[in-house]
């Protein structure tokens, strides 16, 4: 397999559901459960800074409201991104992508960076996220995997940091997945665990590409997916799924 840089289990959005999503404390929770791989989402703030957040709006996961792409760092970085999960995480902040990289490296965590552009920001998000990733992981033994549902963002990432491995995100694998992967120089694909069957997984592996799935929380199904040839399972329950790997 060419350059698949990830371990078998990745905690979804840093720590799965064990901690508030896309936070630095989530990284600590992953490691506490002996999960040394994570996936997280990177979007640009209103200042053009890459940060960790999933939604295009602040409302669900922070004490703020409104669009992320309209909110400058000065307002965004002071918000509480932990209290929505539970009181024990109150005070947790929205992380800068650069800080998340430093924490991953300090903890020995491999990362799948999902480039999550707000609509209309695909090129900029791909370019900036890849540049920050290249600088943050400079000299690292293991590079991150950049992934996105946006091929526009991935193409911009490829131009900004051609040496960083890339994967295309799908729900179900598209019929022309192989052409898309080749066109982008990607090392693999990431698809919905519920939309993957054994034959599709085998086709990806026969072509020599890496294969990850999201989001599988049942250890028995995870075991089956590994048996299909899946390389990495993204899970909200790293505490359960690491045992199946
Ligand atoms: O990267 C895989 C998975 O995280 C994609 O879905 O919505 O959780 O970012 P979502
Ligand atoms: Mg994601």
């Amino acid at each position: 397999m060419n350059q698949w840089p990830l371990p078998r289990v990745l905690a979804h959005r840093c720590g799965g559901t064990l901690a508030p999503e896309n936070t630095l404390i989530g990284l600590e929770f992953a490691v506490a459960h002996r999960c040394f791989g994570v996936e997280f989402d990177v979007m640009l703030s209103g200042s053009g800074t890459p940060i960790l957040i999933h939604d295009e709006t602040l409302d669900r996961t922070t004490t703020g409201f409104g669009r992320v792409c309209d909110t400058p760092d000065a307002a965004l970085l002071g918000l509480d991104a932990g209290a929505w999960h539970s009181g024990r995480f109150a005070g947790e902040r929205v992380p800068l992508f650069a800080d998340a990289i430093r924490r991953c490296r300090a903890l020995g965590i491999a990362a799948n960076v999902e480039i999550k552009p707000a609509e209309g920001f695909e090129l900029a998000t791909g370019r900036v996220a890849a540049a920050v990733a290249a600088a943050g992981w400079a000299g690292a033994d293991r590079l991150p995997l950049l992934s996105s549902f946006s091929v526009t963002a991935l193409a911009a990432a490829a131009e900004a940091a051609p040496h960083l491995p890339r994967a295309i995100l799908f729900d179900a694998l598209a019929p022309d997945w192989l052409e898309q992967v080749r066109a982008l120089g990607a090392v693999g694909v990431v698809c919905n665990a519920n939309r993957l069957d054994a034959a599709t997984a085998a086709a990806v592996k026969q072509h020599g590409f890496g294969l990850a799935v999201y989001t599988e929380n049942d250890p028995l199904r995870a075991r089956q997916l590994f048996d299909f040839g899946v390389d990495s399972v993204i899970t909200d329950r790293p505490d359960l799924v690491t045992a199946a790997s």
Side-chain angles (χ1 to χ4, degrees), residues 44-69:
L44 297 185
S45 72
S47 306
T49 306
I51 56 161
L52 268 57
I53 198 159
H54 179 275
D55 298 0
E56 287 196 32
T57 57
L58 294 162
D59 303 49
R60 182 177 62 86
T61 59
T62 78
T63 46
F65 56 88
R67 297 202 309 169
V68 174
C69 66

Side-chain angles (χ1 to χ4, degrees), residues 1-2 4-8 10 145 167-168 170-171 173 177 187-193 196-206 208-214 225-226 228-234:
M1 188 210 319
N2 49 16
W4 189 253
L6 300 176
R8 283 163 76 77
L10 306 175
L145 180 74
I168 306 177
F170 293 99
D171 179 19
L173 218 55
W177 70 269
V187 299
V189 292
V190 184
C191 73
N192 186 329
L196 184 73
D197 57 30
T200 308
V204 174
K205 301 313 300 174
Q206 273 160 20
F209 290 104
L211 175 60
V213 294
Y214 65 91
L225 290 162
F226 287 128
F228 286 176
V230 165
D231 297 294
S232 303
V233 169
I234 299 170

Side-chain angles (χ1 to χ4, degrees), residues 12-13 39-41 54 114 116:
H12 188 218
R13 306 183 190 175
E39 180 266 4
F40 53 74
D41 306 296
H54 179 275
E114 183 188 342
K116 193 78 128 179

Side-chain angles (χ1 to χ4, degrees), residues 69-83:
C69 66
D70 291 338
T71 309
D73 292 351
L76 199 151
L77 298 176
L79 298 174
D80 189 313

Side-chain angles (χ1 to χ4, degrees), residues 6-239:
L6 300 176
R8 283 163 76 77
V9 181
L10 306 175
H12 188 218
R13 306 183 190 175
C14 289
T17 51
L18 306 176
E21 67 185 54
N22 289 312
T23 61
L24 298 183
I25 193 72
L27 301 175
E28 312 277 347
F29 269 69
V31 168
H33 290 279
R34 305 209 53 72
C35 179
F36 290 92
V38 298
E39 180 266 4
F40 53 74
D41 306 296
V42 170
M43 193 180 294
L44 297 185
S45 72
S47 306
T49 306
I51 56 161
L52 268 57
I53 198 159
H54 179 275
D55 298 0
E56 287 196 32
T57 57
L58 294 162
D59 303 49
R60 182 177 62 86
T61 59
T62 78
T63 46
F65 56 88
R67 297 202 309 169
V68 174
C69 66
D70 291 338
T71 309
D73 292 351
L76 199 151
L77 298 176
L79 298 174
D80 189 313
W84 68 273
H85 182 284
S86 51
R88 66 186 286 213
F89 296 114
E92 193 66 23
R93 300 294 177 209
V94 176
L96 295 174
F97 179 32
D99 287 342
I101 295 171
R102 273 189 281 277
R103 189 68 64 89
C104 283
R105 292 191 67 174
L107 292 168
I109 294 176
N112 171 200
V113 177
E114 183 188 342
I115 302 171
K116 193 78 128 179
E119 202 178 337
F121 290 83
E122 289 81 3
L123 275 173
T125 311
R127 186 172 60 239
V128 173
V132 171
W137 272 287
D141 291 338
R142 180 144 64 168
L143 294 174
L145 180 74
L146 307 182
S147 64
S148 188
F149 288 104
S150 166
V151 290
T152 304
L154 282 175
E159 203 173 311
H163 66 294
L164 294 183
R166 296 170 294 284
I168 306 177
L169 264 162
F170 293 99
D171 179 19
L173 218 55
D176 65 342
W177 70 269
L178 186 56
E179 289 72 25
Q180 289 194 49
V181 164
R182 285 179 173 152
L184 269 166
V187 299
V189 292
V190 184
C191 73
N192 186 329
N194 297 322
R195 308 295 300 275
L196 184 73
D197 57 30
T200 308
V204 174
K205 301 313 300 174
Q206 273 160 20
H207 285 284
F209 290 104
L211 175 60
V213 294
Y214 65 91
T215 306
E216 185 54 59
N217 303 326
D218 175 356
L220 291 177
R221 171 67 176 162
R223 183 68 260 162
Q224 183 184 48
L225 290 162
F226 287 128
D227 289 344
F228 286 176
V230 165
D231 297 294
S232 303
V233 169
I234 299 170
T235 182
D236 282 325
R237 294 300 305 269
D239 52 330

